[in-house]
Amino acid sequence: MRLIRTLFVAATGALAAVGLASAAGEYRKPEDHRFSFDGPFSTFDRGAVQRGFYVFNQVCAACHSLEHLAIRHLGQPGGPFHDPAYPNPNDNPVVRAIAAEYIVEDGPDEYGDMFERPGRPADRFPSPYANEAQGRAANNGAYPPDLSIITRARHYGAPYIRSLMMGYGEEPPEGVTVGAGLYYNPYFPGGLIAMPPQFEDGLLTYNDGTEATVEQMANDVTEFLAWASDPHMEQRKRLGLMVLAYLVILCGLLFFTYRQIWSKVKH
Ligand code: HEC
């Protein structure tokens, strides 16, 4: 009995603590949205991941790193620029061209100096800042977090990133003062974020003719970040499907074996 009471008190205490925490960092639940990769057998929308990479590169990369990814990951199976003609993504010309647009620091050379060279597929995506202090100094003291696993690092995942990117422009509720260098965004815990609004309709021109509305760019960049957070999702789901098919066939075989064996026994 005492144990039950102690457990009960502990549980209500924990609940109260969670309640307090969410009161401190209140935020609006993200809008529901069906992404192409939701569901046990679905895949990424390749066009959306490609467009999302373009958005990331043109807009987000100025402030955010993607440190868990190498450029060649774009060309591996399941990646946005995978081409079966190039099983080794280091040979994929599209990936090579993307890599060559980055300037990467390398070295030391034979004189002990660091030098810069065009990127190669094997390089990691270069970070916009040399270190965290530089990143904070450039952003009013707030550090733009690394985005390579962001859809898994936030409670509501992909829908949160999408809503956050579309969530600017509302009047802050009464009593909320938006300090210098901050912006009101009801989806961000606490409602005040140091990241300025990133999108406006027509900001970019997609080369597949898709119209770059705020919602479209938010969908696409989220699709790209979801792929970046889980680049092997498609292979994993395919394996799961194969295991299921195998189990179904095995069940069928076992059933017929069972019938076969028992058919000889008189009941
Ligand atoms: C001018 C710099 C800048 C650019 C460009 C930028 N961000 Fe940010 N971002 C920030 C800063 C600063 C923060 C930290 C905000 C804070 O902690 O208040 C941030 C935070 C974030 C967060 C984390 C929010 C959280 O829950 O902690 C996400 C997600 C994000 N940015 C996505 C993006 C995406 C996607 C793009 C490109 C479309 C982008 N950002 C472009 C500066 C930038």
Side-chain angles (χ1 to χ4, degrees), residues 55-56 59-64 129 139 142-145 147 150 154 160-161 164-165 182 188-189 192-196 198-199 221 225:
V55 176
F56 176 84
V59 186
C60 325
C63 299
H64 291 276
Y129 307 113
N139 290 282
Y143 185 62
L147 292 185
I150 195 80
R154 290 295 178 271
Y160 164 69
I161 309 295
L164 182 78
M165 299 318 292
L182 290 176
F188 186 66
L192 297 175
I193 188 166
M195 171 167 70
Q198 295 300 318
F199 295 149
V221 82
L225 292 174

Side-chain angles (χ1 to χ4, degrees), residues 36-214:
S36 71
F37 50 84
D38 289 336
F41 306 122
S42 52
T43 54
F44 289 113
D45 171 346
R46 203 173 142 98
V49 181
Q50 289 182 353
R51 287 191 301 272
F53 171 65
Y54 180 61
V55 176
F56 176 84
N57 225 2
Q58 296 290 312
V59 186
C60 325
C63 299
H64 291 276
S65 59
L66 210 54
E67 63 187 30
H68 296 287
L69 282 188
I71 302 169
R72 75 187 147 76
H73 288 140
L74 297 171
Q76 73 183 14
F81 299 103
H82 174 62
D83 180 345
Y86 301 97
N88 180 352
N90 294 340
D91 302 331
N92 181 322
V94 178
V95 177
R96 292 175 73 96
I98 292 172
E101 282 173 20
Y102 294 101
I103 303 290
V104 175
E105 188 178 62
D106 201 348
D109 63 11
E110 60 198 288
Y111 306 105
D113 297 325
M114 302 303 278
F115 59 93
E116 289 184 334
R117 58 161 175 81
R120 303 186 195 117
D123 292 320
R124 308 239 138 217
F125 283 94
S127 292
Y129 307 113
N131 48 54
E132 187 174 332
Q134 199 186 67
R136 283 190 190 280
N139 290 282
N140 273 320
Y143 185 62
D146 181 75
L147 292 185
S148 44
I149 48 165
I150 195 80
T151 64
R152 287 200 280 167
R154 290 295 178 271
H155 181 54
Y156 284 108
Y160 164 69
I161 309 295
R162 174 180 177 272
S163 287
L164 182 78
M165 299 318 292
M166 293 169 28
Y168 291 90
E170 276 178 39
E171 279 297 313
E174 239 174 85
V176 175
T177 3
V178 183
L182 290 176
Y183 305 85
Y184 177 64
N185 187 323
Y187 298 98
F188 186 66
L192 297 175
I193 188 166
M195 171 167 70
Q198 295 300 318
F199 295 149
E200 58 185 70
D201 288 340
L203 175 73
L204 304 168
T205 311
Y206 284 130
N207 65 7
D208 64 359
T210 307
E211 204 186 327
T213 59
V214 169

Side-chain angles (χ1 to χ4, degrees), residues 213-229:
T213 59
V214 169
E215 181 174 1
Q216 184 68 46
M217 288 182 281
N219 289 348
D220 292 342
V221 82
T222 306
E223 185 103 7
F224 169 70
L225 292 174
W227 169 78
S229 289

